Amino acid sequence: MSAADPPVSKKPVDTSEAPAEDAAVKIATVGAVDVSDFIDLETFEQIREMDDDDSDEFSCAIVGGFLDQAEETFIKMEAALHGSFPFASHRKAGDLDQLSSLGHFLKGSSATLGLIKVKDYCETIQHLGSNKDDTGHVGPDHKECLSKIKNALAEMKIEYKRVRVYFYKIYPILDDGSR
């Protein structure tokens, strides 16, 4: 940290009494970190607006469901890459169709929450799983697709961890040590 950098607060942000606009600004800078590079706050706020005035139970449940879904999907993606399927023993290593399907599946829920980079990595995995490049055009061979998917999955997990930390600050109840 340079002398010009402000100190980073480790306290969660209390938005319970803030007007909606102030709450959005506070959420955008939880822990003095600007999250707008990995979360579309306008999209996420649409989910939060569905909460009751006195509770964030609805949005917390949506976020908690996504976190569980993401963890399960990562396990299935690793299994599709390496051929260790606890869910379907007939699958083989390097199952591009399964990887494409899983990428598509997680892309939808991450987009719903406004998780920009997670959604983008999911889309990349979806395309590569269909033997297409990042733009959706016919792309690399099977082996290269698997290599790129492996890299995209690793990067997506890093972004997911950033998102998870952010969500734990917004919804401390979700941080139960199970993820």
Side-chain angles (χ1 to χ4, degrees):
M1 177 163 65
S2 72
D5 292 333
V8 176
S9 170
K10 302 242 186 228
K11 295 180 188 175
V13 174
D14 178 11
T15 60
S16 59
E17 298 184 87
E21 299 92 55
D22 292 342
V25 170
K26 287 181 181 181
I27 288 171
T29 58
V30 166
V33 173
D34 181 5
V35 298
S36 63
D37 69 320
F38 58 94
I39 296 179
D40 176 348
L41 292 169
E42 186 175 319
T43 301
F44 183 57
E45 276 304 307
Q46 290 174 359
I47 299 296
R48 290 180 57 89
E49 287 172 5
M50 292 184 221
D51 284 328
D52 291 335
D53 289 339
D54 60 345
S55 168
D56 62 3
E57 188 176 327
F58 176 79
S59 63
C60 183
I62 297 293
V63 168
F66 168 78
L67 295 175
D68 291 340
Q69 182 183 73
E71 294 286 336
E72 291 172 16
T73 303
F74 292 154
I75 291 168
K76 291 177 181 180
M77 285 180 167
E78 289 291 344
L81 276 169
H82 304 293
S84 56
F85 272 82
F87 309 106
S89 60
H90 68 279
R91 301 275 186 192
K92 61 188 182 309
D95 189 338
L96 289 179
D97 289 337
Q98 179 73 0
L99 288 160
S100 179
S101 177
L102 292 166
H104 176 75
F105 172 72
L106 194 56
K107 179 181 75 173
S109 55
S110 58
T112 298
L113 290 173
L115 309 180
I116 301 163
K117 291 185 178 183
V118 173
K119 176 195 67 80
D120 290 346
Y121 284 118
C122 288
E123 188 169 32
T124 296
I125 291 170
Q126 179 185 357
H127 286 309
L128 289 167
S130 297
N131 279 90
K132 297 178 180 175
D133 63 18
D134 294 345
T135 64
H137 295 95
V138 175
D141 65 18
H142 187 270
K143 186 176 179 179
E144 188 176 345
C145 285
L146 288 174
S147 176
K148 288 182 176 191
I149 288 172
K150 184 177 178 181
N151 293 337
L153 180 57
E155 291 295 320
M156 181 169 54
K157 286 179 177 181
I158 291 168
E159 289 303 319
Y160 166 78
K161 287 177 183 175
R162 291 175 67 195
V163 166
R164 186 180 65 200
V165 167
Y166 169 72
F167 284 146
Y168 284 176
K169 289 181 180 180
I170 300 297
Y171 307 105
I173 194 168
L174 295 176
D175 190 5
D176 63 2
S178 66
R179 294 177 190 91

